[in-house]
Amino acid sequence: MEPKQIRQGYLVKKGTVLNSWKVVWVVLSDDGVEFYKKKTDSSPKGMIPLKGTNLISPCQDYSKRTLVFKLTTAKSQDHYFQATHLDDREVWIKDIKRAITCLQGGKRFARKSTRRSIRLPSTVNLSELYTLMKDQDTGVKELTMEKEKKTFTHCFPGSTVIDWLVSNGRVRNRQEGLMLGTGLLNEGFLQPAGELSKRAAEGAAESALLDQVEALYYFADSGFVCEGYSSDEDVLVKEEFRGAIIKQGCLLKQGHRRKNWKVRKFILRDDPAYLHYYDPAKGEDEPLGSIHLRASVVTAVDYVPDAKKYDVDGNLFEIITSDETQYFLQAATVEERKDWIKAIHTVSKSGK
């Protein structure tokens, strides 16, 4: 019986021989994880059997990389993967956990909710809660704060998190708020900023999140956290990075010079309307480039006239900016292409 495919998409993987991290196309089935050098390859570069495999997430083995998870096989082989954004990691983790559980119980894969290790109630959905907390009007307010001669932008105190949870009826008291806040921290939705909150997060205490004004945190994919600047330095955030993140994920992009295709992580921001792209294997410190979307045109296309060095197999779309610069991109699926076109079109009309 052929293995059932559960999920597929781009992830960054650490090499098993070399320590380099590279983007791979990953296919999760009900009995294993296959990874390919390119999406169009007919045979995988490697396969990880899920029987007897242990999943660790979040994985802290590489402190300079976020959103990493580890698969350790029955033969004690470690495989490290890195998602490009928080929601992406969440869906991969849930499906891999479920596949392992079903395999151990001799059952066929079927999605259902999983509970966190801190015994949160079954009615709690951390992903939905995180979205509500990030709401610009009714969520937790991000601030610029100075602590220990450092300036932190887009951060907030731990006490503010608890205040929000209590005032919005998500918990009955501050003790329950600490448990829920710790769940958000453990799952990577919140990140510690500053020595006080980092020490607590790395410690063995039951409540890793601190209900204190001095303990600072930030949203995992806020995109704007500036840390480590002394208080007498100017902290400058480029205007194009100030917009709210509307959508993010991996796409294939055609280069302007060599016309070859490479996987890039894209972050779409609104007001101002920009699409920044990064090398997903190297992180998000500095984008490789940006596309100003104000008054741009985005359309689906069937082919790219001068495509080279890559077997482009559909799901293509084109962005033409106001200065008539063309960008050709490829999504993994028809539905994904539709979502990106819709989001870019909306931002191009509303963002400045």
Side-chain angles (χ1 to χ4, degrees):
M1 192 172 180
E2 286 294 318
K4 175 185 176 183
Q5 285 193 5
I6 298 167
R7 178 172 298 283
Q8 52 186 334
Y10 291 109
L11 291 171
V12 180
K13 185 181 185 300
K14 178 182 175 294
T16 52
V17 179
L18 302 175
N19 288 326
S20 58
W21 294 73
K22 294 184 177 180
V23 179
V24 292
W25 179 256
V26 181
V27 177
L28 169 65
S29 62
D30 51 11
D31 65 352
V33 176
E34 294 180 334
F35 51 96
Y36 298 75
K37 185 177 179 180
K38 295 189 298 185
K39 179 177 178 288
T40 52
D41 288 351
S42 58
S43 58
K45 189 177 180 181
M47 191 273 189
I48 306 167
L50 289 179
K51 187 175 182 179
T53 291
N54 183 42
L55 169 65
I56 297 176
S57 176
C59 175
Q60 306 295 338
D61 292 3
Y62 294 90
S63 58
K64 293 184 178 180
R65 288 183 175 268
T66 59
L67 307 177
V68 174
F69 61 90
K70 178 171 71 171
L71 293 173
T72 302
T73 67
K75 294 183 179 181
S76 299
Q77 294 177 324
D78 292 333
H79 297 270
Y80 295 90
F81 292 90
Q82 181 183 24
T84 55
H85 58 284
L86 192 60
D87 290 344
D88 192 36
R89 187 194 69 174
E90 285 297 293
V91 294
W92 276 101
I93 292 303
K94 285 183 180 179
D95 282 349
I96 293 173
K97 280 183 178 179
R98 187 62 184 152
I100 292 174
T101 301
C102 291
L103 199 60
Q104 291 172 342
K107 301 177 181 178
R108 288 186 63 80
F109 179 90
R111 287 190 177 94
K112 71 175 187 179
S113 62
T114 55
R115 288 293 91 204
R116 274 60 176 183
S117 60
I118 58 171
R119 302 187 302 279
L120 292 175
S122 59
T123 55
V124 174
N125 185 316
L126 291 181
S127 295
E128 290 181 2
L129 182 63
Y130 178 70
T131 301
L132 292 172
M133 293 177 70
K134 286 188 65 181
D135 187 278
Q136 291 186 328
D137 297 321
T138 61
V140 175
K141 303 303 179 187
E142 295 174 295
L143 308 169
T144 297
M145 306 184 73
E146 290 190 3
K147 298 287 181 182
E148 304 161 353
K149 294 185 178 181
K150 294 181 180 180
T151 300
F152 302 91
T153 64
H154 296 277
C155 294
F156 41 83
S159 57
T160 299
V161 174
I162 308 302
D163 289 342
W164 187 91
L165 292 171
V166 173
S167 63
N168 284 271
R170 298 292 166 175
V171 294
R172 292 173 296 180
N173 51 54
R174 301 191 78 82
Q175 188 59 39
E176 285 188 0
L178 280 172
M179 183 175 73
L180 195 52
T182 295
L184 290 163
L185 191 66
N186 289 345
E187 290 299 313
F189 292 104
L190 301 182
Q191 295 290 330
E195 292 303 317
L196 180 61
S197 55
K198 286 182 178 180
R199 284 197 303 268
E202 294 170 357
E206 184 175 345
S207 298
L209 185 130
L210 299 178
D211 184 7
Q212 298 179 22
V213 175
E214 293 80 13
L216 302 182
Y217 301 89
Y218 62 91
F219 294 125
D221 50 0
S222 62
F224 313 129
V225 177
C226 298
E227 185 178 353
Y229 295 87
S230 63
S231 58
D232 57 351
E233 288 179 299
D234 291 328
V235 180
L236 298 177
V237 180
K238 290 182 180 179
E239 178 66 23
E240 62 189 67
F241 292 98
R242 294 184 183 276
I245 295 177
I246 304 300
K247 185 175 176 61
Q248 55 187 318
C250 283
L251 297 167
L252 275 168
K253 176 185 176 295
Q254 186 193 50
H256 277 100
R257 293 182 180 179
R258 298 182 180 179
K259 305 300 180 183
N260 56 338
W261 293 78
K262 291 187 178 180
V263 179
R264 297 299 182 219
K265 174 182 175 178
F266 286 83
I267 297 181
L268 175 63
R269 292 181 169 91
D270 189 13
D271 195 23
Y274 274 92
L275 185 63
H276 295 95
Y277 51 95
Y278 304 77
D279 182 342
K282 295 182 179 179
E284 293 181 13
D285 291 340
E286 289 292 335
L288 297 174
S290 63
I291 306 172
H292 191 193
L293 295 174
R294 179 63 177 168
S296 65
V297 177
V298 55
T299 55
V301 294
D302 294 327
Y303 70 99
V304 178
D306 51 0
K308 295 179 181 179
K309 297 185 179 181
Y310 203 91
D311 183 18
V312 180
D313 59 350
N315 307 321
L316 297 161
F317 62 100
E318 175 188 24
I319 299 173
I320 303 177
T321 64
S322 59
D323 63 358
E324 299 186 355
T325 302
Q326 287 180 300
Y327 296 87
F328 289 103
L329 306 171
Q330 182 190 34
T333 65
V334 173
E335 192 64 32
E336 186 180 85
R337 177 176 71 170
K338 187 186 299 182
D339 290 343
W340 272 106
I341 290 176
K342 181 179 179 181
I344 293 171
H345 176 77
T346 301
V347 167
S348 68
K349 300 301 180 185
S350 60
K352 63 184 179 181

